[in-house]
Each structure stands twice: as C-alpha cells, then as structure tokens.
Amino acid sequence: MNNKEHFKFSTGVIAYPIFFVLIIWLVFWFEVRFGVNFNKYGVYPQTLKGLRGVVLSPFIHGDIQHIYHNTVPLFVLSTALFYFYRPIAWKVLFFGILISGFLTWCIGRPSYHIGASGLIYVLVSFTFFKGVFAKHYRLIALSLLVVFLYGSMIWYVVPVEKGVSWEGHLSGLITGLLFALFFRKEIAKPKKYAWEHENYNEDEDPFLKHFDKDGNFIEILEPEVEEELPIINYTYKEESRTKNQDGR
C-alpha cells in the first residue's frame, strides 16, 4: 500500500485552502479600496461575453456578508477535500469551477451570477456522495458531518429566495454528484486489520486464544521451566616453554 492510499496530514491541506480564500478576499478588498465593481465579470447566461464569468465569478462577491458566508464553508470543505482526497483535490476544484459555471451559463436567468457558492455546492455534493459510495466509516462520518453543517443548503437549489442564484447552486450539486460517480474508485484505502484478510486463520490468532466461544477470558498459564545453571568448561592447557640458545 503506497503513501497515496493513507489519510495523511500535510502543510498543503491547510495552505491551499487558505491561499484560495485569501485571493477571494484580496479581490473584494481591491473593489472596496479603489471603488470598482467586478460584477460585470460574473456569469451572464447565454451570452458569449458572459462565458468569462465561468472562471472569474467564484472570486467576485457583492458585499461583506456575501463573501463571509461563502469563504467560511469554502475553507472548511476544501480543507476536508485536500485531507481525504488529495490525489484528486485539484481536479475537483478546477473542473468543479468550470463545469458548474458552464451549467449555470446554460440554465441561468439573464443576470450576473457571482460568488463561490456554486463551488461550495460542488464540494458539499461531492463530499457527501463520495463518502456514501466509498463505504468507509471515516468518509461516511465526513458525509454525515457535511449534512449536519450544510444540509439546509439543499433548499437553495430551488428558487425560494429572490436574488439568490439557485441555478448556480443546482449546477454545483449536479457537478459534485457527477464527480463522485466519476472518481468512485479513487478513494483512500484504509489499513486492513489481520482478521480482514482472506487468509486469516482465527484459531491461530494469539489474541483470540485467550477467550472462549462465549467471550469469557481464559487465563493460560505458561508451563514453568526450571532454570538451568550455565555450564562453564574450565580447561587447563599446559604450555611447554622452551629456551633459546641464549638461555632466555
């Protein structure tokens, strides 16, 4: 089992999400500081000019409340993405932006669609369905945590609130599900215990031999072994001494 198959923490797990969120805040600071408005660079559906928003819209936000509500879950979810699915994390982020943005361009209303909420829905959807498909307790636990934290977001994939791009949310949800299906086999494989292997013999397990069939502990006394004293052979070797011609 190679290193890619283990859940490992590294500096990139935190550094990449921080860097991504920092860029979003720098763009917003630039707008406020110099009094410019980048909303026109968002996704404008079914127009050639509006295609530029497929790439640029996740970095553009309308106000401080908008950017705050987007960057917090974006940081949490992208950190989980890099921790549990690092080999495919960049693919999910990059193609998630492109595909969800393009779907928004296809089905959206004639208005500027801005914000990173589409990407957030990609991550929520991907993390949830990927954990379900993986059938591994850590990833399922992550899916349940995502549902607990962001489950209410499902209502915003339909037009329930004016001024909210439900088309972008729906596009992100669909994209995340497609990614979970496409990357279904690319998951971190957990370490197997001894009893999970096919050639495991329960009768030879050194731990289980201390318990009977009902689960009661059996004290196994090791036979006493008489301590043998070490045998030391003392040998005397007589050495013949010869004198040389000088008598020494």
Side-chain angles (χ1 to χ4, degrees):
M1 189 176 294
N2 56 40
N3 292 333
K4 289 184 179 180
E5 294 176 326
H6 296 287
F7 300 114
K8 296 180 69 176
F9 183 87
S10 65
T11 54
V13 172
I14 294 293
Y16 297 140
I18 289 178
F19 180 73
F20 191 53
V21 170
L22 184 61
I23 292 177
I24 295 175
W25 277 95
L26 284 175
V27 172
F28 181 74
W29 171 85
F30 187 88
E31 286 187 278
V32 175
R33 176 65 179 81
F34 297 99
V36 295
N37 192 328
F38 290 150
N39 287 357
K40 62 182 180 179
Y41 294 101
V43 175
Y44 200 94
Q46 291 128 42
T47 63
L48 186 62
K49 197 174 182 179
L51 277 173
R52 62 187 179 184
V54 171
V55 177
L56 301 177
S57 62
F59 303 94
I60 304 170
H61 292 79
D63 52 36
I64 189 69
Q65 186 178 7
H66 187 202
I67 191 174
Y68 171 77
H69 287 301
N70 276 356
T71 52
V72 172
L74 181 61
F75 173 77
V76 173
L77 293 167
S78 58
T79 300
L81 178 69
F82 276 97
Y83 180 74
F84 289 97
Y85 306 105
R86 185 167 185 179
I88 58 174
W90 283 113
K91 295 179 183 178
V92 173
L93 284 178
F94 180 74
F95 290 107
I97 291 174
L98 294 182
I99 296 177
S100 64
F102 181 73
L103 289 177
T104 303
W105 182 85
C106 292
I107 66 174
R109 293 162 291 173
S111 178
Y112 289 108
H113 298 255
I114 60 174
S117 56
L119 179 59
I120 292 172
Y121 274 80
V122 171
L123 298 179
V124 169
S125 177
F126 172 78
T127 305
F128 173 75
F129 290 110
K130 195 70 169 65
V132 173
F133 296 154
K135 297 180 181 179
H136 179 243
Y137 71 96
R138 288 191 183 182
L139 303 181
I140 292 175
L142 177 64
S143 298
L144 295 176
L145 180 62
V146 168
V147 171
F148 176 76
L149 293 176
Y150 306 112
S152 61
M153 293 172 59
I154 190 65
W155 298 111
Y156 294 98
V157 299
V158 292
V160 295
E161 185 175 340
K162 187 178 180 180
V164 174
S165 177
W166 64 270
E167 300 95 330
H169 299 167
L170 180 61
S171 300
L173 184 69
I174 295 173
T175 303
L177 174 59
L178 293 176
F179 283 176
L181 291 171
F182 183 79
F183 296 113
R184 188 171 182 174
K185 295 182 179 179
E186 299 187 38
I187 62 171
K189 296 180 181 178
K191 293 182 179 179
K192 286 188 175 182
Y193 295 98
W195 56 82
E196 295 179 294
H197 292 281
E198 295 180 359
N199 58 350
Y200 168 68
N201 188 352
E202 185 175 301
D203 296 330
E204 297 178 359
D205 193 304
F207 176 76
L208 294 180
K209 72 178 184 179
H210 291 279
F211 298 87
D212 59 18
K213 295 182 179 180
D214 298 326
N216 299 317
F217 179 75
I218 302 174
E219 184 178 1
I220 300 178
L221 299 178
E222 300 293 337
E224 296 183 0
V225 180
E226 295 183 1
E227 185 178 357
E228 298 181 358
L229 295 177
I231 299 175
I232 302 176
N233 294 325
Y234 294 94
T235 58
Y236 176 76
K237 186 176 182 181
E238 182 179 358
E239 298 180 356
S240 59
R241 298 180 181 179
T242 59
K243 296 182 180 181
N244 58 19
Q245 295 178 356
D246 296 334
R248 291 179 295 178

